[in-house]
Amino acid sequence: MRQAANGAGAGGDGVSPGNVPVCYYGPGGRSRTFFSIQKVARYTDMQSLVILVIASGMVACYSLIQGARCLLSIVRGGILLSRPLAWAIFSCDQVMAYIIIGAVAVAMEAALIGKYGQVEFQWMKTCHLYQRFCTQAGGGVACAIAASASMVGISLLSAFNLFRLYGEGKGRK
């Protein structure tokens, strides 16, 4: 863990973009004193959580843009019939699903190492030192798992919408 520059840990706290609430921690349970050095647990100490927050923000922005596009097509009364647009949506959905799944996998691995340690590499478990931090980070990772599962569902829907355009009699000439 990095040592806070001012020792108080006030800088750098905030609410994460997207749907992963791993960035805000209350005043208790996140700082420890080791040999008169105060260590403060922050999400930026685990680069995997930073990657998860960035990936979740990207996926959330993409989802908002897609939601606006869908709302606009509902208002106009149009149906997706263009194959190039369907391929673009399918491709972007796949990319976003893989981004969030990769970020969740990295964050989950780092969280498990923090909880159980890794004896072979002499990495000690740290969750018994920063219990509140680990609990809140675990909740954030759980929310990210739910978000990645929903993104996989959206990818499946876009795949269905794409390949229904190639159904019976629609593409054979």
Side-chain angles (χ1 to χ4, degrees), residues 1-5 9 11-13 22-23 25 29-32 34 38-51 53 107 110-111 114 126 130 133-134 137:
M1 302 279 170
R2 280 188 242 156
Q3 181 179 357
D13 292 342
V22 295
C23 299
Y25 301 99
R30 64 183 181 135
S31 66
R32 290 272 192 216
F34 299 102
Q38 186 175 8
K39 296 280 186 173
V40 178
R42 292 194 186 114
Y43 83 99
T44 55
D45 294 333
M46 291 179 65
Q47 292 301 313
S48 60
L49 292 180
V50 174
I51 291 169
V53 169
T126 56
Y130 300 100
F133 176 85
C134 286

Side-chain angles (χ1 to χ4, degrees), residues 55-118:
S56 296
M58 288 171 42
V59 171
C61 289
Y62 172 75
S63 296
L64 285 173
I65 291 169
Q66 277 294 87
R69 186 200 59 80
C70 289
L71 189 64
L72 188 63
S73 69
I74 288 171
V75 169
R76 287 185 177 174
I79 301 173
L80 179 64
L81 294 175
S82 168
R83 286 184 184 170
L85 181 59
W87 272 106
I89 291 170
F90 171 72
S91 300
C92 290
D93 284 348
Q94 291 291 311
V95 167
M96 291 299 154
Y98 283 121
I99 285 173
I100 194 69
I101 288 171
V104 166
V106 168
M108 221 165 41
E109 181 181 359
L112 287 174
I113 288 174
K115 181 156 179 76
Y116 298 111
Q118 186 72 29

